[in-house]
Amino acid sequence: MNKNKTRKHHKSPDHIEPEKKDNRRLGKKLYKQELRKMQIELVKMQEWVKQEQLKVVVIFEGRDAAGKGGVIKRIMEPLNPRICRVVALGTPTERQRMQWYFQRYVTELPAGGEMVLFDRSWYNRAGVERVMGFCSDEEYDEFMRSCPEFERMLIRSGIILIKYWFSVSDEEQELRFQARLDDPTKRWKLSPMDLASREKWVEYSRAKDEMFGYTDIKQSPWYVVPADNKRRARLNCIHHLLSKIPYKDLTPEPIELPPRIEKDNYIRPPITDQTFVPEIY
């Protein structure tokens, strides 16, 4: 297909990655208080999604080390994994590469009463695949042309689609990369693609700007989350998510535990018949 013709209607991007680090702070005590309040609201929202049989998809995209995983973790902490689940797909198999591009994502979409959080999504094609050369120009052009229609189709089917882009400055990203190198429990987060992205900062910025130009549409806009400060980013994102899904409080009445009835004829087996974990601590 003619690439120039495909991109003729590309609008200028309005969202640019920050050049300077945002040094504003948020106290730990206030952060925990606000997070606790919002997590209670997330539980209320979850019950509403279940009762009303809503289908919710939330996409988390952004720079490497921008904090997507952190906010997903805080959202999931109070929720029922049978209602709300995280999808973080790995590298496609050879068979999946031969499928319609969106096919493996479609199988992960929610049924009624479910909420799915995509930790990266079909936008891999517009980001890492584009920058690293994992897709052809034709495949990229077709994605840009079909993605808005695909999302409109999802919305027409009744899916609530919310898209977040976590924006982080190059200075802050560098600090987070260095922290991962110094912490053995976080080194797994530095994939080969993360390391390669250090050399392609500008290329990723251009890819993101072009992606926004095509996919920041009225029916499913991108919501940018400034993420230099993790605490502020988490609270702002969760607060916004709660505002996008109107819900009612379905908190049940307080529950009283019934008394436990002891059975006189029950005999416990000898404790020596059981195998225990060694008490090292």
Side-chain angles (χ1 to χ4, degrees), residues 3-256:
K3 252 167 47 173
N4 294 329
K5 183 177 180 180
T6 302
R7 295 174 187 169
K8 182 170 62 176
H9 301 294
H10 175 221
K11 62 182 181 180
S12 299
D14 298 318
H15 311 284
I16 306 298
E17 296 284 12
E19 295 181 359
K20 296 182 180 180
K21 180 181 176 182
D22 183 351
N23 290 304
R24 291 178 296 168
R25 300 296 178 188
L26 181 67
K28 187 175 183 179
K29 182 177 180 180
L30 176 60
Y31 164 71
K32 288 190 172 182
Q33 289 175 343
E34 293 301 308
L35 180 61
R36 172 64 177 171
K37 293 177 185 176
M38 291 186 194
Q39 287 184 329
I40 292 173
E41 294 304 311
L42 283 170
V43 173
K44 296 177 183 178
M45 182 189 74
Q46 167 190 259
E47 295 305 310
W48 184 253
V49 168
K50 180 181 177 181
Q51 174 176 289
E52 298 299 308
Q53 294 291 288
L54 301 181
K55 295 175 286 186
V56 181
V57 170
V58 188
I59 288 176
F60 295 87
E61 293 283 351
R63 291 281 191 180
D64 297 317
K68 301 179 296 295
V71 73
I72 291 172
K73 178 180 178 181
R74 272 66 186 186
I75 292 172
M76 288 298 301
E77 277 178 345
L79 300 184
N80 183 345
R82 293 181 177 85
I83 297 175
C84 183
R85 58 187 169 88
V86 178
V87 173
L89 300 183
T91 304
T93 64
E94 192 61 34
R95 182 175 184 273
Q96 288 171 334
R97 291 191 184 98
M98 301 296 290
Q99 294 174 344
W100 175 48
Y101 177 72
F102 295 98
Q103 191 165 335
R104 72 182 187 130
Y105 297 101
V106 168
T107 61
E108 302 291 345
L109 293 174
E114 294 179 350
M115 181 173 176
V116 175
L117 311 181
F118 277 94
D119 185 353
R120 298 224 183 262
S121 65
W122 45 84
Y123 283 100
N124 278 336
R125 173 136 297 176
V128 64
E129 289 190 21
R130 174 63 169 173
V131 174
M132 301 306 294
F134 296 155
C135 67
S136 66
D137 289 344
E138 292 74 17
E139 289 172 329
Y140 173 79
D141 286 340
E142 177 57 29
F143 172 83
M144 287 300 198
R145 182 173 64 179
S146 61
C147 183
E149 292 305 318
F150 173 69
E151 293 181 357
R152 291 186 184 102
M153 182 173 62
L154 296 182
I155 294 168
R156 287 196 303 270
S157 76
I159 288 177
I160 298 172
L161 178 62
I162 304 169
K163 304 186 303 194
Y164 291 113
W165 176 271
F166 280 68
S167 180
V168 66
S169 64
D170 53 351
E171 179 184 353
E172 180 61 23
Q173 186 189 49
E174 180 68 17
L175 290 173
R176 294 180 187 179
F177 276 172
Q178 292 298 330
R180 291 179 178 183
L181 288 173
D182 297 336
D183 188 343
T185 66
K186 295 182 178 180
R187 285 179 195 156
W188 64 269
K189 295 182 177 182
L190 283 175
S191 69
M193 290 300 101
D194 297 332
L195 299 177
S197 70
R198 288 168 54 82
E199 301 176 356
K200 295 182 177 292
W201 174 271
V202 174
E203 289 89 338
Y204 271 103
S205 293
R206 288 172 178 162
K208 175 257 184 180
D209 292 341
E210 188 164 10
M211 178 188 79
F212 267 50
Y214 282 104
T215 63
D216 187 18
I217 60 177
K218 179 179 179 181
Q219 294 87 347
S220 60
W222 280 103
Y223 296 104
V224 179
V225 182
D228 273 0
N229 184 287
K230 292 182 179 180
R231 293 173 184 170
R232 296 169 63 90
R234 291 166 187 170
L235 295 182
N236 288 332
C237 182
I238 296 173
H239 184 275
H240 183 266
L241 176 61
L242 290 167
S243 73
K244 298 303 294 181
I245 306 175
Y247 61 93
K248 295 181 181 179
D249 187 353
L250 299 178
T251 304
E253 295 296 324
I255 300 173
E256 291 188 10

